[in-house]
């Protein structure tokens, strides 16, 4: 969270998504970011604590309820404090490539390793012996 002191702040400064004329101490938008669900996935892998899955499911349900649009896509939320939510006509690419990926992995029982771009690769045991085999 970033907070600014009022002194010296230009009069046209505002928090994106906050109600006009109403001061907000935080950014009220939800732009479909991945960091929280990525953390839940990592925390669950490290601890096995089911609460991380429960929180992930609540986040997924909230995305479905508040961010989904009639055309089957998703939209950013202008102010998370407003229900029903006002949507921005914009779907960030990281929703599909990262946010939903980590939610999927959170509920999948398979084991994965990640390449340098954080793409999951399943761990498997080859059944065919090849010249590249270490055993």
């Amino acid at each position: 969270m970033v907070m600014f002191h009022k002194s010296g702040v230009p009069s046209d400064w505002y928090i994106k998504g906050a109600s006009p004329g109403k001061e907000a101490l935080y950014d009220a938008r939800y732009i479909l970011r991945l960091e929280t669900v990525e953390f839940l996935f990592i925390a669950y892998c490290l601890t096995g604590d089911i609460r991380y899955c429960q929180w992930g499911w609540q986040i997924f349900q909230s995305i479905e309820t508040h961010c989904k649009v009639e055309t089957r896509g998703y939209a950013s939320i202008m102010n998370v404090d407003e229900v029903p939510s006002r949507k921005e006509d914009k779907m960030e690419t990281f929703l599909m490539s990262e946010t939903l990926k980590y939610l999927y992995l959170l509920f999948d029982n398979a084991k994965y390793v990640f390449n340098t771009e954080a793409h999951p690769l399943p761990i498997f045991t080859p059944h065919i012996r090849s010249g590249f085999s270490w055993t």
Side-chain angles (χ1 to χ4, degrees), residues 74-94:
Y74 295 86
S76 299
I77 299 298
M78 297 298 293
N79 186 337
V80 296
D81 294 325
E82 295 176 355
V83 176
S85 56
R86 287 182 295 131
K87 295 172 181 66
E88 185 177 8
D89 187 16
K90 182 178 183 180
M91 183 177 89
E92 300 287 354
T93 57
F94 49 74

Side-chain angles (χ1 to χ4, degrees), residues 97-108:
S97 64
E98 298 181 74
T99 305
L100 294 179
K101 171 184 73 179
Y102 284 112
L103 284 168
Y104 171 81
L105 293 171
L106 185 60
F107 299 109
D108 189 26

Side-chain angles (χ1 to χ4, degrees), residues 62-75 87:
S62 293
I63 291 170
E64 285 290 301
T65 300
H66 302 289
C67 301
K68 197 168 193 173
V69 295
E70 292 178 14
T71 57
R72 307 267 190 242
Y74 295 86
K87 295 172 181 66

